[in-house]
Amino acid sequence: MTHRSHHQKTEVTRLHGGAASQTVGSRSWTRRRVLLLNATYEPLSAVTIRRAVVLILRGRADMVHADESGGAFHSAATAVPVPTVIRLRSYVRVRYRAVVPMTRSALMHRDRFRCGYCGEAATTIDHVVPRSRGGAHTWENCVACCASCNHRKADRLLSELGWSLRTRPIAPTGRHWGLIAAVKDIDPAWMQYIDAGAA
C-alpha cells in the first residue's frame, strides 16, 4: 500500500458523527451506492459512499444531492453531508457498452414496474414463452409480471390463454441502462439524471 492510499483510507475511516455515524464501519458503508455523474451531468456509475467521500475530499467531485436525513461525516477539519449524487469536476471519456445485461432491476425499470399482461403493479418476471417450452432468458422473451398473472399463466403459451402483451418486449438501448442493470436499489434522487440520459 502506497503512502497516498494509506492516507486516503485513514482519512475516510476517521469520519464519523450525526445520522451517518451508524453507517461508518458497518456493512452498509460498502453496500450503499452514490450516483457518479460526469462533468456534463451524464450518469457514469454507482460508487460506494467511501469512494464518493474520497472524491469530494480530494476536490475531484462536487456534491449534487445529499441524503435527506441530514446526516454528515465529520473530521477535525471538515464535515461532509452523506452524498447520494456527486459530479466530477473534470470530464472523462468512457467507452459505450452497446449490449445491456438483463437484470431484474433493469427489466422492471424497462417495463415501469407494470405487468406486461394486465398493467397492474409487477412483483416478478415472467418468460413469455416458458423456459419449459423452449423460451430463452432474453430481453425479448421476458416481461415484468404481477403475481396473479404469473400464477394463471404458469407454463402455458399466450395463444393457449388468448392473452396478448401490452407492448412488445425489446432490449433497451442507451448508456444509462448499464447503470440501471448494475444497481439493485436506485435512489429516487437519481432518476432525474437517469431519465435525462434516456432522452
Side-chain angles (χ1 to χ4, degrees):
M1 179 180 293
T2 64
H3 174 72
R4 181 177 178 180
S5 62
H6 174 73
H7 172 71
Q8 177 175 306
K9 181 178 179 181
T10 303
E11 184 178 40
V12 177
T13 53
R14 284 179 179 171
L15 297 173
H16 63 281
S21 61
Q22 295 180 348
T23 303
V24 179
S26 71
R27 286 182 299 175
S28 60
W29 172 253
T30 56
R31 281 205 309 264
R32 189 172 176 183
R33 293 293 183 265
V34 176
L35 178 63
L36 175 65
L37 304 175
N38 213 332
T40 54
Y41 286 89
E42 176 188 9
L44 288 178
S45 65
V47 299
T48 63
I49 293 180
R50 178 191 296 275
R51 178 62 177 159
V53 172
V54 168
L55 288 171
I56 292 170
L57 291 176
R58 288 188 168 281
R60 295 177 58 189
D62 294 317
M63 181 84 66
V64 178
H65 289 287
D67 191 286
E68 294 182 355
S69 68
F73 296 103
H74 297 275
S75 69
T78 187
V80 179
V82 179
T84 57
V85 181
I86 63 173
R87 181 178 71 97
L88 292 176
R89 291 185 176 181
S90 299
Y91 177 79
V92 297
R93 292 185 177 275
V94 293
R95 187 173 66 177
Y96 175 60
R97 184 178 183 181
V99 179
V100 180
M102 194 187 78
T103 65
R104 175 186 170 87
S105 174
L107 189 140
M108 285 292 188
H109 276 88
R110 183 201 68 178
D111 293 354
R112 301 186 180 277
F113 295 87
R114 292 293 170 182
C115 179
Y117 306 116
C118 71
E120 294 297 315
T123 57
T124 188
I125 292 173
D126 183 70
H127 292 84
V128 179
V129 177
R131 303 197 77 171
S132 62
R133 309 281 288 269
H137 187 65
T138 61
W139 284 110
E140 295 77 10
N141 191 50
C142 291
V143 294
C145 188
C146 69
S148 176
C149 286
N150 186 257
H151 178 73
R152 290 169 58 198
K153 181 174 176 292
D155 63 348
R156 288 177 288 180
L157 300 173
L158 298 188
S159 59
E160 296 171 349
L161 294 163
W163 289 11
S164 61
L165 288 166
R166 295 172 60 243
T167 58
R168 183 171 66 90
I170 60 174
T173 58
R175 193 188 304 272
H176 66 291
W177 280 100
L179 173 63
I180 294 176
V183 180
K184 181 178 180 181
D185 298 311
I186 294 180
D187 191 299
W190 299 10
M191 293 312 300
Q192 61 179 300
Y193 303 102
I194 292 175
D195 288 342

